[in-house]
Amino acid sequence: MIQIKHKRSGKTLKINTFWLRDHCRCGDCYNVETKQRKYNLLDIPKTVKPLKAEYIKDGLQYEVHWTDGHISVYDIDFLHDAQVEHVVARAEDSTVRTPWNQPFIVAHEDQLRTTLVELVSTEAAVRKIVQSLIRYGIAFVDGVPPNTTMTEMAVRRIFPPMKTFFGEMYTFSDVQDHADTAYSKQYLGLHTDNTYFCDAAGLQSLHCIRHVNGIGGDSFFADGLHAANELRHRNPRAFEILTRVQVPAEYIEDGQYHKHSAPIIRVDPVSGQIVQLRLNVYDRAQFDSVPQEEMQDFYESFRDFLEIVQRIENHWRFKLQPGTVVIFDNWRVFHGRHAYTGQRTMTGCYVQRTDFLSKARVLGIID
């Protein structure tokens, strides 16, 4: 270990010497244009050690002469910010995500909406949508002509659609084109999509482009982050069980068989922050991932969570009208639909998580 003084904070950093050598950012070690390392880890001798080290640039940089003949110069701010305790502290201090229930989100609805005209003509509107998705997990684009082409144009202004076996853009009604309850007129409880995928879509967009000769079909949304936080506070043991137990899900139709197991609540192993909610009571497969002796604990924990999720004060209910595209975080916000009559057609798409977060980082909304 080597100790380096961080002048701005007054703290002493204790840094592993091999980690330090591995994080050299000189032109021989790091390509500043592609932001990639330029060497194989095995190119660094296993026994590499500092021969000489000194502070330079008024204590803001640190120069190290290594036993392999290399010379590295480090910005000490970079070394400070790269330590895990500071990563965790930044995550704990973060106010980027705001959990919500129904009264709260209704009071802040103006922060969630923009129009198609604004979206295609200003970068500020793009930023507003992405910021809303990061903070609240849901956003709306109004004034979109009710067809698939214009819905796609609205989404593509911000993100590339994700291609699945449903297609890039999908259109569905009560015609049973796929083995999914969404392709019906039945009630659909709160859920996330793609629990059977190894990597569930990060975002989902929906646009009701037609509903005639009938009633019903109201959509409702709930913030899984709010519900999971409450469970963590109220019943830590249930929360822990739902972060640990692998719950199998599957999707089966002619030519398709998708299956995946993961916890209902996924937390970051470093920061402890909630990363993903994965909730779909319909797509659950045969539950065979824990011994029978542990089943009761799981079911009681699951029921506790569902009771929080299904509280009416956590549900934001409204009817999706032609002209409004809703985009929501499929890793956070649960969505459902009331039964309906008549003929209704929906269109929309998924967006990969990596594309969503990449856009948020490019805009400087998240690190």
Side-chain angles (χ1 to χ4, degrees), residues 65-358:
H65 294 242
W66 298 96
T67 53
D68 64 352
H70 196 71
I71 300 174
S72 304
V73 176
Y74 302 92
D75 287 330
I76 300 179
D77 282 346
F78 162 74
L79 299 179
H80 173 273
D81 293 346
Q83 303 313 301
V84 65
E85 58 268 25
H86 302 128
V87 173
V88 172
R90 288 197 300 273
E92 291 173 347
D93 291 342
S94 173
T95 56
V96 172
R97 296 190 301 174
T98 301
W100 53 265
N101 59 11
Q102 191 269 348
F104 183 93
I105 199 66
V106 169
H108 292 80
E109 186 175 350
D110 62 315
Q111 298 181 24
L112 316 179
R113 311 192 84 97
T114 191
T115 67
L116 181 62
V117 171
E118 293 169 333
L119 188 64
V120 300
S121 60
T122 70
E123 291 302 317
V126 173
R127 181 181 180 83
K128 182 178 182 181
I129 291 294
V130 179
Q131 199 156 30
S132 175
L133 288 167
I134 290 292
R135 182 173 291 280
Y136 301 112
I138 191 167
F140 300 86
V141 183
D142 297 314
V144 181
N147 60 66
T148 299
T149 299
M150 296 304 291
T151 304
E152 180 178 4
M153 187 184 83
V155 175
R156 280 191 184 275
R157 175 69 173 98
I158 321 169
F159 312 106
M162 168 186 174
K163 187 173 184 179
T164 70
F165 64 87
F166 294 110
E168 275 195 338
M169 297 298 297
Y170 46 73
T171 300
F172 62 94
S173 61
D174 60 326
V175 178
Q176 201 74 29
D177 293 330
H178 290 281
D180 195 297
T181 314
Y183 292 76
S184 74
K185 298 181 179 182
Q186 300 173 28
Y187 170 89
L188 275 175
L190 289 165
H191 65 282
T192 60
D193 280 17
N194 308 153
T195 53
Y196 42 77
F197 282 173
C198 298
D199 188 19
L203 300 176
Q204 183 175 2
S205 69
L206 289 172
H207 187 187
C208 178
I209 58 176
R210 176 175 174 265
H211 188 187
V212 297
N213 302 323
I215 58 172
D218 285 14
S219 296
F220 52 105
F221 295 83
D223 186 11
L225 179 61
H226 171 78
N229 282 341
E230 182 172 339
L231 180 70
R232 188 180 222 169
H233 175 74
R234 193 181 78 178
N235 191 341
R237 183 169 180 269
F239 181 88
E240 187 276 330
I241 288 171
L242 296 188
T243 65
R244 175 171 47 82
V245 173
Q246 304 283 314
V247 180
E250 64 185 2
Y251 180 97
I252 304 170
E253 68 176 33
D254 289 344
Q256 302 288 339
Y257 190 172
H258 298 269
K259 190 170 185 177
H260 182 63
S261 296
I264 291 172
I265 303 171
R266 182 158 70 91
V267 298
D268 186 283
V270 175
S271 69
Q273 296 283 305
I274 296 168
V275 174
Q276 181 182 11
L277 284 305
R278 182 178 170 273
L279 175 68
N280 195 312
V281 298
Y282 307 103
D283 292 333
R284 287 181 300 138
Q286 175 179 296
F287 188 23
D288 53 11
S289 58
V290 296
Q292 287 295 319
E293 292 77 11
E294 298 177 21
M295 289 293 181
Q296 193 63 32
D297 285 344
F298 168 78
Y299 280 113
E300 289 178 3
S301 301
F302 193 15
R303 288 177 63 90
D304 272 3
F305 186 48
L306 287 174
E307 285 172 2
I308 296 170
V309 169
Q310 293 176 9
R311 285 183 194 155
I312 196 65
E313 65 267 23
N314 290 332
H315 293 194
W316 187 18
R317 176 176 174 172
F318 53 86
K319 188 173 179 66
L320 279 174
Q321 299 289 349
T324 294
V325 176
V326 60
I327 308 172
F328 55 94
D329 187 339
N330 188 54
W331 284 28
R332 170 181 172 178
V333 172
F334 306 138
H335 66 289
R337 177 198 71 203
H338 285 271
Y340 70 92
T341 60
Q343 292 78 51
R344 192 174 92 148
T345 303
M346 304 288 290
T347 192
C349 67
Y350 295 121
V351 174
Q352 287 187 325
R353 189 71 177 181
T354 189
D355 290 326
F356 166 38
L357 297 182
S358 171

